Amino acid sequence: FSREGFDDAGSGPLYLQLQRRIADAMTSGRLAPGDSLPAERDMATMTGLSRVTIRKAIQSLVASGQLIQRRGSGTFVAQRVERLEQALSLLTSFTEDMARRGRSVDSLWLSRQIVSPAPEEIMALGLGAGDRIARLERVRRSDGVPLAIERASIPLSALPDPEAVATSLYDALQANGQRPVRAVQRISAANLAPRDAELLAVPAGAAGLRIERIGYLPDGRVVEYTRSLYRGDAYDFAVELKLAP
Ligand code: GLP
């Protein structure tokens, strides 16, 4: 970004001129998804514009989802994701879903602990007094793009050591003979709170899907209670409907 071409008279407010210039750089590929923008004060030096003007231009691109701001690390060009179609009728794991598409997976762990359950976890898992659980919180990513935040609560009888979950929770449960064979899933709409939006690299308030899964063992015991937030811009859920009897 240089000083040339900013025009006080004819071409509209300076912040709009700068906004257009940043947008053009993204369209032409000079700024690619994931690239960081120079710091506000450096942009002010480069362009000769005031920091107020710079901030105003950036804020409107952040509001429209083209730029992402992360506290402490700066401003980035937003990553566009291709939408994934996800079947709703099959009990699969995130790892399996991505492997089927030939995509890589990794997790950013937020926490992985043995804890005393909260009342809603006691209810969902049907626990007794004094039972403890494994609680796993992570950002699920595929090909480096964050897609969901998942918080899984598992009885210790099914997962005595939460550290045993390397990538796949279902693989760890399978190894203990405790993989769910049936699940009930609920999906509802949610606007992503600032912290969740930041973890998912979308603008605060962006559309998300809250997905709750309760997984059962063959004997009917609950083995998984997972609450997730999925990116609304990344998923299409599809299910086949049959004629009612
Ligand atoms: C999906 C489900 C979760 C489940 C997870 C297991 O994401 N929504 O309820 O816990 O799969 O995935 P993985 O075995 O990859 O950890």
Side-chain angles (χ1 to χ4, degrees), residues 136-245:
L136 314 169
E137 291 181 85
R138 54 194 166 147
V139 178
R140 312 296 313 258
R141 295 190 293 208
S142 177
D143 289 353
V145 179
L147 293 175
I149 304 169
E150 287 195 328
R151 180 144 56 113
S153 308
I154 313 287
L156 282 192
S157 53
L159 188 69
D161 176 16
E163 300 284 332
V165 180
T167 316
S168 167
L169 169 63
Y170 277 18
D171 282 356
L173 292 174
Q174 175 103 49
N176 299 337
Q178 303 280 320
R179 183 178 163 131
V181 293
R182 185 173 78 80
V184 174
Q185 189 156 292
R186 303 176 72 91
I187 304 179
S188 51
N191 288 107
L192 298 169
R195 179 180 175 270
D196 296 329
E198 196 172 330
L199 289 169
L200 292 174
V202 294
L209 294 154
R210 186 176 291 121
I211 302 188
E212 183 184 288
R213 183 182 287 185
I214 298 194
Y216 297 87
L217 293 171
D219 65 9
R221 278 181 301 140
V222 177
V223 68
E224 170 190 15
Y225 172 46
T226 298
R227 285 139 296 161
S228 318
L229 283 169
Y230 277 68
R231 278 174 67 158
D233 63 348
Y235 274 92
D236 290 313
F237 291 98
V239 66
E240 182 187 330
L241 304 176
K242 301 203 174 85
L243 215 52

Side-chain angles (χ1 to χ4, degrees), residues 28-39:
S28 71
R30 271 181 296 129
L31 275 175
D35 280 358
S36 64
L37 253 64

